Amino acid sequence: MAFGAIEDETGTVNLVFAPHVWDRCHRTLLDAPAVIVTGRVERSDGTVNVAVDRVEAITVAAPVPRRHVGRR
């Protein structure tokens, strides 16, 4: 088993990866700038877990550089 977590200002969600899922997706998790994780949500005593079954890399657009206009 492998474990991870995602967190924001509202709390934490634990990610649980079965060995076959981890073997299939760990390179994506390590290499991609952002991912979509899907799986079965499990709630118990205020804890939220996701039993991950799929990880998909998504493209993150690079910010557009601002042009600096000189003062005269």
Side-chain angles (χ1 to χ4, degrees):
M1 299 298 279
F3 303 93
I6 53 176
E7 183 176 356
D8 68 7
E9 63 276 356
T10 64
T12 301
V13 174
N14 300 308
L15 305 175
V16 182
F17 299 87
H20 71 281
V21 175
W22 180 255
D23 290 343
R24 189 177 68 233
C25 72
H26 76 276
R27 282 288 8 136
T28 301
L29 288 165
L30 297 173
D31 295 341
V35 295
I36 296 174
V37 176
T38 59
R40 186 180 67 255
V41 176
E42 303 168 342
R43 293 182 178 94
S44 176
D45 298 324
T47 301
V48 179
N49 298 321
V50 175
V52 177
D53 59 28
R54 186 170 157 220
V55 176
E56 178 183 347
I58 58 176
T59 303
V60 177
V64 177
R66 292 180 136 191
R67 293 182 67 192
H68 296 284
V69 179
R71 292 184 175 194
R72 294 182 191 207

